[in-house]
mmCIF file of all heavy atoms in Angstrom:
data_model
loop_
_atom_site.group_PDB
_atom_site.id
_atom_site.type_symbol
_atom_site.label_atom_id
_atom_site.label_comp_id
_atom_site.label_asym_id
_atom_site.label_seq_id
_atom_site.Cartn_x
_atom_site.Cartn_y
_atom_site.Cartn_z
ATOM 1 N N PRO J 258 118.785 88.096 116.501
ATOM 2 C CA PRO J 258 119.961 88.878 116.850
ATOM 3 C C PRO J 258 121.233 88.278 116.488
ATOM 4 O O PRO J 258 121.426 87.051 116.526
ATOM 5 C CB PRO J 258 119.844 88.976 118.426
ATOM 6 C CG PRO J 258 118.800 87.974 118.804
ATOM 7 C CD PRO J 258 118.028 87.527 117.593
ATOM 8 N N GLN J 259 122.137 89.053 116.003
ATOM 9 C CA GLN J 259 123.490 88.621 115.740
ATOM 10 C C GLN J 259 124.432 89.833 115.695
ATOM 11 O O GLN J 259 123.999 90.949 115.782
ATOM 12 C CB GLN J 259 123.584 87.883 114.330
ATOM 13 C CG GLN J 259 123.235 88.802 113.139
ATOM 14 C CD GLN J 259 123.403 88.101 111.857
ATOM 15 O OE1 GLN J 259 123.235 86.856 111.752
ATOM 16 N NE2 GLN J 259 123.809 88.841 110.794
ATOM 17 N N GLY J 260 125.767 89.577 115.576
ATOM 18 C CA GLY J 260 126.688 90.713 115.523
ATOM 19 C C GLY J 260 127.207 91.157 116.907
ATOM 20 O O GLY J 260 127.600 92.317 117.091
ATOM 21 N N PHE J 261 127.219 90.255 117.889
ATOM 22 C CA PHE J 261 127.765 90.574 119.246
ATOM 23 C C PHE J 261 127.913 89.297 119.941
ATOM 24 O O PHE J 261 127.392 88.224 119.600
ATOM 25 C CB PHE J 261 126.784 91.475 119.975
ATOM 26 C CG PHE J 261 125.443 90.833 120.325
ATOM 27 C CD1 PHE J 261 125.287 90.299 121.598
ATOM 28 C CD2 PHE J 261 124.465 90.752 119.309
ATOM 29 C CE1 PHE J 261 124.021 89.701 121.853
ATOM 30 C CE2 PHE J 261 123.293 90.165 119.655
ATOM 31 C CZ PHE J 261 123.048 89.645 120.876
ATOM 32 N N THR J 262 128.728 89.317 121.078
ATOM 33 C CA THR J 262 128.809 88.183 121.919
ATOM 34 C C THR J 262 128.416 88.699 123.339
ATOM 35 O O THR J 262 128.782 89.770 123.793
ATOM 36 C CB THR J 262 130.198 87.557 122.018
ATOM 37 O OG1 THR J 262 131.113 88.440 121.381
ATOM 38 C CG2 THR J 262 130.250 86.213 121.360
ATOM 39 N N LEU J 263 127.599 87.872 124.050
ATOM 40 C CA LEU J 263 127.094 88.196 125.313
ATOM 41 C C LEU J 263 127.677 87.269 126.391
ATOM 42 O O LEU J 263 127.455 86.044 126.267
ATOM 43 C CB LEU J 263 125.538 88.183 125.324
ATOM 44 C CG LEU J 263 124.868 88.782 126.484
ATOM 45 C CD1 LEU J 263 125.028 90.316 126.548
ATOM 46 C CD2 LEU J 263 123.347 88.514 126.449
ATOM 47 N N LYS J 264 128.327 87.866 127.378
ATOM 48 C CA LYS J 264 128.814 87.058 128.453
ATOM 49 C C LYS J 264 128.228 87.624 129.731
ATOM 50 O O LYS J 264 128.645 88.674 130.181
ATOM 51 C CB LYS J 264 130.299 87.020 128.535
ATOM 52 C CG LYS J 264 130.954 86.058 127.506
ATOM 53 C CD LYS J 264 132.411 85.625 127.992
ATOM 54 C CE LYS J 264 133.023 84.886 126.826
ATOM 55 N NZ LYS J 264 133.730 85.918 125.918
ATOM 56 N N GLY J 265 127.212 86.941 130.288
ATOM 57 C CA GLY J 265 126.498 87.501 131.444
ATOM 58 C C GLY J 265 125.829 88.750 130.941
ATOM 59 O O GLY J 265 124.948 88.696 130.119
ATOM 60 N N ARG J 266 126.248 89.852 131.489
ATOM 61 C CA ARG J 266 125.643 91.103 131.199
ATOM 62 C C ARG J 266 126.566 92.037 130.314
ATOM 63 O O ARG J 266 126.239 93.149 130.068
ATOM 64 C CB ARG J 266 125.156 91.924 132.409
ATOM 65 C CG ARG J 266 123.996 91.254 133.024
ATOM 66 C CD ARG J 266 123.085 92.265 133.602
ATOM 67 N NE ARG J 266 121.704 92.011 133.198
ATOM 68 C CZ ARG J 266 120.803 92.967 133.030
ATOM 69 N NH1 ARG J 266 121.137 94.177 133.139
ATOM 70 N NH2 ARG J 266 119.559 92.621 132.699
ATOM 71 N N THR J 267 127.751 91.494 130.087
ATOM 72 C CA THR J 267 128.691 92.305 129.264
ATOM 73 C C THR J 267 128.656 91.871 127.806
ATOM 74 O O THR J 267 128.608 90.673 127.561
ATOM 75 C CB THR J 267 130.154 92.237 129.798
ATOM 76 O OG1 THR J 267 130.339 90.923 130.195
ATOM 77 C CG2 THR J 267 130.364 93.187 130.944
ATOM 78 N N ILE J 268 128.767 92.804 126.989
ATOM 79 C CA ILE J 268 128.637 92.479 125.554
ATOM 80 C C ILE J 268 129.867 92.959 124.915
ATOM 81 O O ILE J 268 130.456 93.982 125.109
ATOM 82 C CB ILE J 268 127.328 93.025 125.041
ATOM 83 C CG1 ILE J 268 127.404 93.557 123.666
ATOM 84 C CG2 ILE J 268 126.732 94.087 125.664
ATOM 85 C CD1 ILE J 268 125.930 93.809 123.286
ATOM 86 N N THR J 269 130.451 92.036 124.031
ATOM 87 C CA THR J 269 131.690 92.313 123.374
ATOM 88 C C THR J 269 131.584 91.972 121.890
ATOM 89 O O THR J 269 130.560 91.429 121.485
ATOM 90 C CB THR J 269 132.828 91.437 123.908
ATOM 91 O OG1 THR J 269 132.367 90.104 123.940
ATOM 92 C CG2 THR J 269 133.208 91.898 125.346
ATOM 93 N N GLY J 270 132.568 92.302 121.139
ATOM 94 C CA GLY J 270 132.634 91.917 119.740
ATOM 95 C C GLY J 270 131.448 92.516 118.933
ATOM 96 O O GLY J 270 130.895 91.784 118.083
ATOM 97 N N ILE J 271 131.159 93.777 119.148
ATOM 98 C CA ILE J 271 130.006 94.339 118.480
ATOM 99 C C ILE J 271 130.307 94.594 117.017
ATOM 100 O O ILE J 271 131.324 95.237 116.661
ATOM 101 C CB ILE J 271 129.553 95.689 119.126
ATOM 102 C CG1 ILE J 271 129.054 95.439 120.519
ATOM 103 C CG2 ILE J 271 128.451 96.347 118.337
ATOM 104 C CD1 ILE J 271 128.692 96.638 121.339
ATOM 105 N N ASP J 272 129.469 94.087 116.130
ATOM 106 C CA ASP J 272 129.621 94.299 114.703
ATOM 107 C C ASP J 272 128.308 94.843 114.198
ATOM 108 O O ASP J 272 127.347 94.148 113.878
ATOM 109 C CB ASP J 272 129.858 92.938 114.022
ATOM 110 C CG ASP J 272 130.040 93.036 112.526
ATOM 111 O OD1 ASP J 272 129.705 94.124 111.961
ATOM 112 O OD2 ASP J 272 130.405 92.061 111.871
ATOM 113 N N PRO J 273 128.168 96.222 114.143
ATOM 114 C CA PRO J 273 126.857 96.845 113.855
ATOM 115 C C PRO J 273 126.337 96.468 112.501
ATOM 116 O O PRO J 273 125.090 96.371 112.318
ATOM 117 C CB PRO J 273 127.178 98.339 113.961
ATOM 118 C CG PRO J 273 128.558 98.510 114.108
ATOM 119 C CD PRO J 273 129.194 97.180 114.450
ATOM 120 N N ILE J 274 127.250 96.215 111.565
ATOM 121 C CA ILE J 274 126.764 95.900 110.155
ATOM 122 C C ILE J 274 126.104 94.544 110.174
ATOM 123 O O ILE J 274 124.988 94.302 109.614
ATOM 124 C CB ILE J 274 127.986 95.913 109.170
ATOM 125 C CG1 ILE J 274 128.610 97.345 109.135
ATOM 126 C CG2 ILE J 274 127.522 95.524 107.798
ATOM 127 C CD1 ILE J 274 127.743 98.414 108.632
ATOM 128 N N ALA J 275 126.763 93.535 110.814
ATOM 129 C CA ALA J 275 126.215 92.218 110.845
ATOM 130 C C ALA J 275 124.862 92.247 111.653
ATOM 131 O O ALA J 275 123.901 91.541 111.288
ATOM 132 C CB ALA J 275 127.135 91.270 111.614
ATOM 133 N N ALA J 276 124.762 93.114 112.654
ATOM 134 C CA ALA J 276 123.528 93.205 113.453
ATOM 135 C C ALA J 276 122.416 93.714 112.549
ATOM 136 O O ALA J 276 121.326 93.283 112.589
ATOM 137 C CB ALA J 276 123.756 94.087 114.631
ATOM 138 N N MET J 277 122.783 94.723 111.730
ATOM 139 C CA MET J 277 121.746 95.348 110.930
ATOM 140 C C MET J 277 121.260 94.397 109.818
ATOM 141 O O MET J 277 120.118 94.254 109.534
ATOM 142 C CB MET J 277 122.380 96.611 110.319
ATOM 143 C CG MET J 277 121.356 97.565 109.828
ATOM 144 S SD MET J 277 122.216 99.077 109.455
ATOM 145 C CE MET J 277 121.707 99.330 107.783
ATOM 146 N N PHE J 278 122.239 93.720 109.214
ATOM 147 C CA PHE J 278 121.908 92.802 108.092
ATOM 148 C C PHE J 278 121.660 91.401 108.636
ATOM 149 O O PHE J 278 122.226 90.455 108.178
ATOM 150 C CB PHE J 278 122.980 92.825 107.036
ATOM 151 C CG PHE J 278 123.020 94.159 106.300
ATOM 152 C CD1 PHE J 278 123.999 95.102 106.623
ATOM 153 C CD2 PHE J 278 122.065 94.446 105.317
ATOM 154 C CE1 PHE J 278 124.029 96.330 105.970
ATOM 155 C CE2 PHE J 278 122.098 95.629 104.636
ATOM 156 C CZ PHE J 278 123.094 96.589 104.979
ATOM 157 N N ASN J 279 120.778 91.273 109.628
ATOM 158 C CA ASN J 279 120.510 89.981 110.213
ATOM 159 C C ASN J 279 119.491 89.237 109.324
ATOM 160 O O ASN J 279 118.848 89.864 108.408
ATOM 161 C CB ASN J 279 119.917 90.239 111.620
ATOM 162 C CG ASN J 279 118.629 91.037 111.595
ATOM 163 O OD1 ASN J 279 117.529 90.507 111.265
ATOM 164 N ND2 ASN J 279 118.728 92.323 111.897
ATOM 165 N N PRO J 280 119.322 87.931 109.496
ATOM 166 C CA PRO J 280 118.517 87.120 108.578
ATOM 167 C C PRO J 280 117.070 87.519 108.406
ATOM 168 O O PRO J 280 116.510 87.295 107.374
ATOM 169 C CB PRO J 280 118.607 85.717 109.186
ATOM 170 C CG PRO J 280 119.786 85.703 110.166
ATOM 171 C CD PRO J 280 119.963 87.128 110.537
ATOM 172 N N ALA J 281 116.505 88.167 109.451
ATOM 173 C CA ALA J 281 115.092 88.592 109.378
ATOM 174 C C ALA J 281 114.955 89.866 108.554
ATOM 175 O O ALA J 281 113.854 90.160 108.145
ATOM 176 C CB ALA J 281 114.550 88.783 110.740
ATOM 177 N N ALA J 282 116.057 90.588 108.375
ATOM 178 C CA ALA J 282 115.913 91.933 107.734
ATOM 179 C C ALA J 282 115.349 91.914 106.342
ATOM 180 O O ALA J 282 114.386 92.668 106.067
ATOM 181 C CB ALA J 282 117.263 92.630 107.837
ATOM 182 N N PRO J 283 115.857 91.133 105.413
ATOM 183 C CA PRO J 283 115.357 91.239 104.060
ATOM 184 C C PRO J 283 113.850 91.037 103.880
ATOM 185 O O PRO J 283 113.142 91.875 103.240
ATOM 186 C CB PRO J 283 116.160 90.187 103.234
ATOM 187 C CG PRO J 283 117.338 89.891 104.091
ATOM 188 C CD PRO J 283 116.956 90.129 105.512
ATOM 189 N N SER J 284 113.327 89.931 104.359
ATOM 190 C CA SER J 284 111.876 89.657 104.195
ATOM 191 C C SER J 284 111.029 90.685 104.916
ATOM 192 O O SER J 284 110.021 91.066 104.416
ATOM 193 C CB SER J 284 111.594 88.210 104.616
ATOM 194 O OG SER J 284 111.917 88.019 105.968
ATOM 195 N N LYS J 285 111.529 91.081 106.146
ATOM 196 C CA LYS J 285 110.720 92.030 106.877
ATOM 197 C C LYS J 285 110.682 93.378 106.157
ATOM 198 O O LYS J 285 109.649 94.052 106.034
ATOM 199 C CB LYS J 285 111.258 92.209 108.282
ATOM 200 C CG LYS J 285 110.582 91.289 109.289
ATOM 201 C CD LYS J 285 111.031 91.586 110.696
ATOM 202 C CE LYS J 285 110.494 90.670 111.679
ATOM 203 N NZ LYS J 285 109.074 91.011 112.043
ATOM 204 N N VAL J 286 111.867 93.817 105.763
ATOM 205 C CA VAL J 286 111.897 95.182 105.093
ATOM 206 C C VAL J 286 111.040 95.209 103.797
ATOM 207 O O VAL J 286 110.228 96.095 103.570
ATOM 208 C CB VAL J 286 113.393 95.464 104.743
ATOM 209 C CG1 VAL J 286 113.445 96.615 103.724
ATOM 210 C CG2 VAL J 286 114.163 95.871 105.960
ATOM 211 N N PHE J 287 111.180 94.098 103.017
ATOM 212 C CA PHE J 287 110.369 94.073 101.833
ATOM 213 C C PHE J 287 108.826 94.054 102.086
ATOM 214 O O PHE J 287 108.134 94.783 101.512
ATOM 215 C CB PHE J 287 110.813 92.744 101.065
ATOM 216 C CG PHE J 287 110.222 92.590 99.710
ATOM 217 C CD1 PHE J 287 109.840 93.675 98.943
ATOM 218 C CD2 PHE J 287 110.044 91.249 99.193
ATOM 219 C CE1 PHE J 287 109.286 93.451 97.635
ATOM 220 C CE2 PHE J 287 109.522 91.041 97.954
ATOM 221 C CZ PHE J 287 109.102 92.141 97.168
ATOM 222 N N HIS J 288 108.484 93.226 103.077
ATOM 223 C CA HIS J 288 107.032 93.125 103.372
ATOM 224 C C HIS J 288 106.469 94.411 103.957
ATOM 225 O O HIS J 288 105.391 94.853 103.673
ATOM 226 C CB HIS J 288 106.819 91.953 104.403
ATOM 227 C CG HIS J 288 105.430 91.442 104.489
ATOM 228 N ND1 HIS J 288 104.620 91.265 103.375
ATOM 229 C CD2 HIS J 288 104.703 91.068 105.597
ATOM 230 C CE1 HIS J 288 103.464 90.803 103.802
ATOM 231 N NE2 HIS J 288 103.461 90.711 105.123
ATOM 232 N N VAL J 289 107.336 95.078 104.795
ATOM 233 C CA VAL J 289 106.903 96.337 105.425
ATOM 234 C C VAL J 289 106.716 97.448 104.356
ATOM 235 O O VAL J 289 105.670 98.162 104.325
ATOM 236 C CB VAL J 289 107.841 96.793 106.530
ATOM 237 C CG1 VAL J 289 107.613 98.271 106.889
ATOM 238 C CG2 VAL J 289 107.672 95.925 107.759
ATOM 239 N N LEU J 290 107.728 97.504 103.467
ATOM 240 C CA LEU J 290 107.615 98.551 102.405
ATOM 241 C C LEU J 290 106.400 98.304 101.530
ATOM 242 O O LEU J 290 105.549 99.178 101.287
ATOM 243 C CB LEU J 290 108.850 98.556 101.557
ATOM 244 C CG LEU J 290 110.144 99.147 102.202
ATOM 245 C CD1 LEU J 290 111.310 99.022 101.233
ATOM 246 C CD2 LEU J 290 109.965 100.580 102.604
ATOM 247 N N MET J 291 106.216 97.092 101.034
ATOM 248 C CA MET J 291 105.176 96.777 100.096
ATOM 249 C C MET J 291 103.815 97.008 100.748
ATOM 250 O O MET J 291 102.925 97.582 100.211
ATOM 251 C CB MET J 291 105.286 95.329 99.583
ATOM 252 C CG MET J 291 106.317 95.118 98.517
ATOM 253 S SD MET J 291 105.974 96.196 97.111
ATOM 254 C CE MET J 291 107.618 96.709 96.740
#
Side-chain angles (χ1 to χ4, degrees):
Q259 66 175 29
F261 65 98
T262 11
L263 190 66
K264 280 206 192 84
R266 290 217 131 209
T267 39
I268 143 173
T269 51
I271 296 176
D272 179 350
I274 301 293
M277 199 169 126
F278 293 100
N279 61 79
S284 57
K285 268 186 182 281
V286 163
F287 186 29
H288 198 42
V289 164
L290 287 179
M291 283 303 142

